[in-house]
Amino acid sequence: MPYVNVKVTREGVTADQKAEIIAGVTDLLVRVLDKDPAATFVVIDEVEVGDWGVGGLPVHEYRRRKQAT
Amino acid sequence: MPYVNVKVTREGVTADQKAEIIAGVTDLLVRVLDKDPAATFVVIDEVEVGDWGVGGLPVHEYRRRKQAT
Amino acid sequence: MPYVNVKVTREGVTADQKAEIIAGVTDLLVRVLDKDPAATFVVIDEVEVGDWGVGGLPVHEYRRRKQAT
Amino acid sequence: MPYVNVKVTREGVTADQKAEIIAGVTDLLVRVLDKDPAATFVVIDEVEVGDWGVGGLPVHEYRRRKQAT
Amino acid sequence: MPYVNVKVTREGVTADQKAEIIAGVTDLLVRVLDKDPAATFVVIDEVEVGDWGVGGLPVHEYRRRKQAT
Amino acid sequence: MPYVNVKVTREGVTADQKAEIIAGVTDLLVRVLDKDPAATFVVIDEVEVGDWGVGGLPVHEYRRRKQAT
């Protein structure tokens, strides 16, 4: 009865890629833990890059500075 | 001081239904656990059907196949 | 296909109270949103009082000061 | 390797305020727990006021009644 | 910079199985979304069966009734 | 009415450090967003190192390999 939440930055993830992630995570839990796929939920959240911070900076700013160095 | 997060697929949930869920969850925690309603937060997340997976498929695809069988 | 996460402080919640919360939240979503109970997950997290903050203080300290006033 | 999720109501939080929250939370974890900022994620979720409940009411209704008293 | 949270019932998941889940989810996000594994966090939560509800019942009770039918 | 969830690995975080995190996050939200501290919840989750993955490995294994290189 697993529940999986996948958070990624919103940067053009396609419906096909989401379907691939849902299928891949579910298969993994079926294979490793013998879970029932019909009782396995996968919820994908896309987070705006300005709402995701790393290194103390919003992601876009973090990347810009990293590339500048 | 409870915090409750309710995730449902985004399929036309109305403001009245949300208010009913907020009231119902709060009343339940007041009644069962004697919590203070003013210190009870309920956050509702509506998730796009393409972002919710079950049975290894996005919800809409999962339902389509189930109806086809 | 709802997923509900209920976070409360760990202060002697009994198995019966948890069962009541699970039943109550599920009934609510069935009644208000016509959800399928078999596809409704409710996960309860009990959080140690020292791990829950409000008013800038851990809960037990927050309560102690409130009572002192 | 901390992960921090900040949920606030969507009420005009600016990009600068978000950057300040990301910086402040990261600095705090570096200072108090000696965490590596490059391995510290901060994710901000803005929640519509109609999706956030307190006192058994959606936030806007809760505030309206409080002001009326 | 993905963050993945996997919630499963606490029923004897081994350290090897957890490592397999962490590796599998990370590989999936690298393969499908070209994510950097060093910036991919996977957090596994094991939830007591009495704290997980489905069908309006704690999991163990839900299973017991299902087997009885 | 913010809700903040802080997840860190369980590695000897003290009660004082938790209190400092709760105070620091709350002060930050009061200062930047003018939030009411009495309506600001901070929940700290300590996650076992074997339950936290990065780079496709449980944290302890990830660190061991990094140090070995």
Side-chain angles (χ1 to χ4, degrees):
Chain A
M1 224 148 304
Y3 170 80
V4 180
N5 183 222
V6 178
K7 283 186 200 296
V8 293
T9 42
R10 189 187 299 277
E11 300 178 274
V13 182
T14 66
D16 278 0
Q17 287 173 322
K18 288 178 184 176
E20 231 182 306
I21 290 168
I22 288 167
V25 169
T26 306
D27 289 352
L28 182 72
L29 291 170
V30 170
R31 186 164 52 76
V32 178
L33 294 180
D34 196 29
K35 295 292 182 184
D36 174 8
T40 299
F41 292 175
V42 180
V43 172
I44 299 171
D45 288 332
E46 289 176 282
V47 177
E48 303 296 331
V49 290
D51 293 344
W52 195 302
V54 60
L57 296 166
V59 165
H60 50 88
E61 180 64 17
Y62 180 75
R63 287 179 184 155
R64 208 183 53 76
R65 293 205 193 171
K66 257 196 130 170
Q67 282 183 324
T69 59
Chain B
M1 225 148 302
Y3 170 80
V4 180
N5 181 223
V6 178
K7 285 186 199 295
V8 293
T9 43
R10 189 187 299 278
E11 300 177 272
V13 183
T14 66
D16 278 1
Q17 288 173 321
K18 288 178 185 177
E20 230 182 309
I21 292 168
I22 288 167
V25 169
T26 307
D27 289 353
L28 181 72
L29 292 170
V30 170
R31 186 165 52 76
V32 178
L33 296 179
D34 196 29
K35 296 291 182 184
D36 174 9
T40 299
F41 292 175
V42 180
V43 172
I44 299 171
D45 288 333
E46 289 176 282
V47 177
E48 302 296 332
V49 289
D51 292 344
W52 195 302
V54 59
L57 297 166
V59 164
H60 50 87
E61 180 66 17
Y62 180 75
R63 287 179 185 155
R64 208 183 52 77
R65 294 204 193 171
K66 257 195 131 171
Q67 283 183 323
T69 59
Chain C
M1 225 149 305
Y3 169 80
V4 179
N5 182 222
V6 178
K7 284 186 201 295
V8 293
T9 43
R10 188 187 299 279
E11 299 178 274
V13 182
T14 66
D16 277 2
Q17 288 173 321
K18 288 177 184 177
E20 229 181 310
I21 291 168
I22 289 168
V25 169
T26 306
D27 289 353
L28 181 72
L29 293 170
V30 169
R31 185 165 53 78
V32 178
L33 296 179
D34 197 28
K35 295 292 183 183
D36 175 8
T40 299
F41 292 175
V42 180
V43 172
I44 299 170
D45 288 332
E46 288 176 282
V47 177
E48 302 296 333
V49 288
D51 293 345
W52 195 303
V54 60
L57 296 167
V59 165
H60 49 89
E61 181 65 17
Y62 180 75
R63 287 179 185 155
R64 208 182 53 78
R65 294 204 194 173
K66 257 196 132 171
Q67 282 183 323
T69 58
Chain D
M1 224 147 304
Y3 170 81
V4 180
N5 182 222
V6 178
K7 284 186 200 295
V8 292
T9 42
R10 189 187 298 279
E11 299 177 275
V13 183
T14 66
D16 277 0
Q17 288 172 321
K18 289 178 185 177
E20 229 181 309
I21 291 168
I22 288 167
V25 170
T26 306
D27 289 353
L28 181 72
L29 292 170
V30 169
R31 185 164 53 76
V32 178
L33 296 179
D34 197 29
K35 296 292 183 184
D36 175 8
T40 299
F41 293 174
V42 180
V43 172
I44 299 170
D45 288 332
E46 289 176 282
V47 177
E48 303 296 333
V49 289
D51 293 344
W52 195 303
V54 61
L57 296 166
V59 165
H60 49 88
E61 181 64 17
Y62 180 75
R63 288 179 184 156
R64 207 182 54 77
R65 294 203 194 173
K66 257 196 131 170
Q67 282 184 323
T69 59
Chain E
M1 226 147 304
Y3 170 80
V4 180
N5 182 222
V6 178
K7 282 186 201 295
V8 292
T9 43
R10 188 187 300 278
E11 300 177 275
V13 183
T14 66
D16 278 1
Q17 288 173 323
K18 288 177 184 176
E20 231 181 308
I21 290 168
I22 288 167
V25 169
T26 307
D27 289 353
L28 182 72
L29 292 170
V30 169
R31 185 165 53 77
V32 178
L33 295 179
D34 197 28
K35 295 292 182 184
D36 175 7
T40 300
F41 292 175
V42 180
V43 172
I44 299 171
D45 288 332
E46 288 176 282
V47 177
E48 302 296 331
V49 289
D51 293 344
W52 195 302
V54 60
L57 296 166
V59 165
H60 49 89
E61 181 65 18
Y62 180 74
R63 287 179 184 155
R64 208 182 54 77
R65 293 205 194 170
K66 255 197 134 170
Q67 282 182 324
T69 57
Chain F
M1 226 148 302
Y3 170 80
V4 180
N5 181 223
V6 178
K7 284 185 201 294
V8 292
T9 43
R10 187 187 299 278
E11 300 177 274
V13 183
T14 66
D16 277 0
Q17 289 173 322
K18 288 178 185 177
E20 232 182 308
I21 292 169
I22 288 167
V25 168
T26 306
D27 289 352
L28 181 72
L29 292 170
V30 169
R31 185 165 53 77
V32 178
L33 296 179
D34 197 29
K35 296 292 181 183
D36 175 7
T40 300
F41 292 175
V42 180
V43 173
I44 300 171
D45 289 331
E46 289 176 281
V47 177
E48 302 296 332
V49 289
D51 293 344
W52 195 302
V54 59
L57 296 166
V59 164
H60 49 89
E61 180 66 16
Y62 179 74
R63 288 178 184 156
R64 209 182 54 77
R65 294 204 192 173
K66 257 196 133 171
Q67 283 183 322
T69 58

